[in-house]
Amino acid sequence: MIRFNIPYISGNEQAYFDEVLKNQKFCGDGGFTKKCHALLSQKLNARKVLLTTSCTHALELSALLMNIVEGDEVIMPSYTFVSTANAFALRGAKIVFVDIHPDTMNIDERLIEAAITDKTRAIVPVHYAGVACKMDEIMQIANKHQLYVVEDAAQAIGATYKGKALGTIGHFGTLSFHETKNLHCGEAGALIINDEKYLERAEILREKGTNRSKFIRGQIDKYSWVDLGSSYLPSELNAAFLLAQLEKEEEVTRERKNIWKTYYEAFKSYNLLEKFEISEISDDYGFNAHIFYIKAKNIEERQNLINHLKMKEIQSVFHYIPLHSALAGSIFASFNGIDKHTTRESEKLLRLPLYYGLEIDKVKYIVETIYKYFL
Ligand SMILES: *Cc1c(COP(=O)(O)O)cnc(C)c1O
């Protein structure tokens, strides 16, 4: 069976684990966490990056930092992972969805302004598949209406927009290091803080509402409860594993792009494009090849194709069921405007195997199998 994903292993994880065992420092914010922070800030050219236990928790931290309260409204696409909405719904915000661009599955920035009310506090663009949203336009709208922007860059490590790392353009950005992402440590994430003024409070909220970070740096002689907060920092074991992966970011991204391009060129050469669509993302998008997907004509045809591929030992998977059509979506959210593309496109989208180490021969076999299916 060609699996949809095999989580990446760099080879240095074990050596770093051994170091953690030797150092006998296991809880968060030790040497490995510091190294991850330094490497990520340098790589992303970010003001400040804090590791978190997940991207979900990084999103929650952003909601706390923006003081989101009951009755506030937050605008985002419905085509996203539950955490994008949950983090703000947890604070009592109403989630307002707008439609997406069918070609990238990203929020359609032209629809945002119509969804803004006097209760709107933030816009949360999601960089689906590591492809950038139209950030210039989104930042312009946010500035005009004095709104926060939180980039859900969960899938976007190694991806850029006009030369800037995704996650470093809005007020906050969030990364995921879940094992389904390009780089991972099982479960973790990071909050990118692009405005210095949130830094001190971010450290406090992340450390159970205490000023322990200052204490560790020797800036105060005891720490205490000073604000709201929770436990959002991963252990040194997670950080050690993650460091081994972050050090290979460029190699992983390069390899994934190579696989992505092999898919793209093979599909193009078969000239089957009236049977299904492939995404027309090119390298100048600065994407990180997180996902390669095709779009079947409709949900039935997609299911038939999934079944066929399974018979041929190929695992393929669809993705998000739009949040506004989910049970919790009907309670905590509403869709602004018409759902012209979100449901339709989500029902067509099918993700094909893509992971570091996937052999080119297998990619060609997958493309050929799909070609023959449609013949
Ligand atoms: C994976 C993902 C998340 C959640 O990441 P975790 O680290 O598992 O919490 C959030 N948003 C998007 C768009 C994702 O793809």
Side-chain angles (χ1 to χ4, degrees):
M1 179 65 108
I2 304 177
R3 285 158 65 184
F4 170 68
N5 181 45
I6 296 178
Y8 173 65
I9 296 290
S10 83
N12 292 328
E13 290 87 352
Q14 187 65 55
Y16 288 176
F17 274 158
D18 291 345
E19 246 182 87
V20 176
L21 289 167
K22 201 178 82 209
N23 296 345
Q24 298 188 317
K25 165 77 180 170
F26 301 100
C27 69
D29 283 344
F32 279 104
T33 306
K34 283 202 189 97
K35 280 187 183 157
C36 287
H37 286 170
L39 185 55
L40 276 169
S41 331
Q42 177 229 322
K43 236 178 208 321
L44 307 175
N45 194 19
R47 196 150 285 156
K48 187 71 189 181
V49 184
L50 292 173
L51 287 194
T52 55
T53 28
S54 63
C55 178
T56 302
H57 279 167
L59 288 161
E60 285 183 34
L61 261 175
S62 81
L64 286 163
L65 285 164
M66 297 184 292
N67 290 317
I68 297 288
V69 293
E70 181 131 21
D72 287 348
E73 293 177 5
V74 178
I75 297 171
M76 64 183 65
S78 173
Y79 187 72
T80 184
F81 188 60
V82 291
S83 297
T84 319
N86 242 334
F88 304 97
L90 263 176
R91 313 251 49 91
K94 186 185 143 202
I95 309 303
V96 177
F97 297 125
V98 300
D99 211 5
I100 53 172
H101 287 288
D103 56 343
T104 58
M105 308 300 282
N106 283 340
I107 191 166
D108 187 337
E109 68 290 341
R110 296 165 303 181
L111 304 173
I112 292 174
E113 271 198 301
I116 294 173
T117 70
D118 54 5
K119 295 189 175 131
T120 307
R121 298 285 315 285
I123 305 168
V124 187
V126 179
H127 303 298
Y128 184 70
V131 175
C133 296
K134 303 261 199 235
M135 289 309 295
D136 282 347
E137 290 83 347
I138 291 170
M139 293 311 292
Q140 203 178 358
I141 295 164
N143 289 337
K144 181 173 157 199
H145 297 272
Q146 298 190 310
L147 303 174
Y148 284 104
V149 173
V150 182
E151 298 174 70
D152 183 337
Q155 304 175 10
I157 184 79
T160 56
Y161 173 78
K162 299 187 178 176
K164 288 184 190 154
L166 297 189
T168 64
I169 301 157
H171 298 81
F172 304 104
T174 63
L175 298 171
S176 173
F177 300 116
H178 185 268
E179 70 163 44
T180 51
K181 305 303 198 283
N182 289 16
L183 301 174
H184 74 100
C185 60
E187 303 261 4
L191 177 68
I192 305 168
I193 300 156
N194 300 316
D195 186 336
E196 199 91 26
K197 86 175 167 229
Y198 300 101
L199 185 52
E200 186 174 343
R201 185 152 185 251
E203 283 185 343
I204 290 169
L205 302 186
R206 177 173 168 274
E207 258 285 18
K208 300 105 182 158
T210 73
N211 48 6
R212 189 159 184 269
S213 301
K214 269 191 165 170
F215 171 72
I216 288 174
R217 286 195 296 266
Q219 293 166 329
I220 46 175
D221 54 16
K222 58 174 184 281
Y223 73 89
S224 65
W225 187 21
V226 293
D227 199 342
L228 285 177
S230 191
S231 187
Y232 288 127
L233 66 167
S235 87
E236 276 289 283
L237 285 163
N238 293 64
F241 193 102
L242 184 61
L243 183 67
Q245 301 239 335
L246 292 176
E247 287 172 343
K248 297 287 176 68
E249 182 272 311
E250 276 157 47
E251 188 186 326
V252 170
T253 306
R254 198 181 326 118
E255 165 81 4
R256 292 186 74 104
K257 279 186 178 172
N258 192 31
I259 296 166
W260 197 100
K261 230 164 144 186
T262 307
Y263 268 122
Y264 182 83
E265 278 161 11
F267 275 124
K268 281 271 178 187
S269 74
Y270 280 125
N271 207 8
L272 267 175
L273 298 183
E274 75 283 6
K275 309 272 191 191
F276 59 87
E277 300 161 48
I278 61 173
S279 101
E280 290 291 340
I281 308 302
S282 73
D283 243 3
D284 13 302
Y285 277 77
F287 79 139
N288 63 355
H290 177 58
I291 299 173
F292 188 92
Y293 61 79
I294 64 172
K295 284 184 182 164
K297 283 213 154 58
N298 53 43
I299 197 165
E300 290 80 26
E301 190 166 283
R302 180 178 71 180
Q303 193 53 50
N304 292 338
L305 184 53
I306 292 174
N307 297 343
H308 178 77
L309 290 174
K310 195 171 163 196
M311 234 166 51
K312 299 285 180 187
E313 303 275 307
I314 299 163
Q315 191 184 24
S316 64
V317 290
F318 53 84
H319 215 174
Y320 307 127
I321 293 166
L323 296 181
H324 71 286
S325 53
L327 172 64
S330 65
I331 303 169
F332 301 112
S334 67
F335 199 100
N336 189 272
I338 326 163
D339 170 11
K340 193 169 164 205
H341 300 298
T342 300
T343 300
R344 223 173 88 97
E345 298 301 317
S346 71
E347 289 181 344
K348 289 159 48 173
L349 189 144
L350 182 66
R351 295 180 290 161
L352 301 178
L354 175 49
Y355 53 83
Y356 183 96
L358 175 62
E359 296 90 339
I360 294 304
D361 283 355
K362 284 188 180 155
V363 176
K364 289 185 173 154
Y365 167 71
I366 295 166
V367 176
E368 201 180 288
T369 307
I370 294 173
Y371 169 69
K372 283 182 182 155
Y373 173 79
F374 281 108
L375 214 58

